[in-house]
Amino acid sequence: MELRVIDKTDEELRIEIAGEDHTFMNVLKGQLLNTEGVAAATYDMNPEQSGGQTEPILSIKTEDGLDPLDALEQAATGISDNLESLYDRIEAAFDDAPAAEA
């Protein structure tokens, strides 16, 4: 995953996230939209529509003084925390499962 900041202001960020697809971008966008202080989060896979840009470009708009890079960090941390929780639950389910007969 390579990141390239395209535009950044105090309340807006456009960043290219190379090597990712809709699966990851939808998770990231969803987590951003659940982040306090994020007014909008969208991404576009092909903004030029003419065979130009194909890497996803994430756009974030914040409010209440939240820096969009901080919002991105909070969202990434939230995804990581959710995945860790999922892993723990899966591990616990296997620990509680009856042993398979040979």
Side-chain angles (χ1 to χ4, degrees):
M1 174 187 310
E2 292 182 34
L3 306 176
R4 181 175 65 91
V5 174
I6 297 170
D7 295 311
K8 174 159 182 336
T9 67
D10 289 344
E11 294 183 338
E12 294 186 27
L13 173 67
R14 290 184 64 232
I15 187 168
E16 180 182 74
I17 304 178
E20 297 303 331
D21 60 15
H22 288 289
T23 304
F24 177 77
M25 296 306 296
N26 275 314
V27 170
L28 181 57
K29 179 185 80 168
Q31 189 69 39
L32 279 161
L33 291 172
N34 287 322
T35 301
E36 189 173 332
V38 172
T42 62
Y43 73 92
D44 195 344
M45 295 294 281
N46 191 6
E48 294 180 12
Q49 300 298 319
S50 60
Q53 174 71 37
T54 57
E55 298 293 350
I57 295 178
L58 177 69
S59 299
I60 304 168
K61 182 172 175 63
T62 60
E63 56 193 10
D64 301 328
L66 178 62
D67 186 286
L69 284 173
D70 290 339
L72 183 57
E73 181 180 9
Q74 288 176 30
T77 299
I79 292 169
S80 178
D81 291 347
N82 288 340
L83 287 174
E84 185 175 328
S85 175
L86 175 62
Y87 176 81
D88 291 344
R89 289 178 185 191
I90 291 171
E91 190 174 61
F94 278 104
D95 289 345
D96 293 341
E101 293 183 24

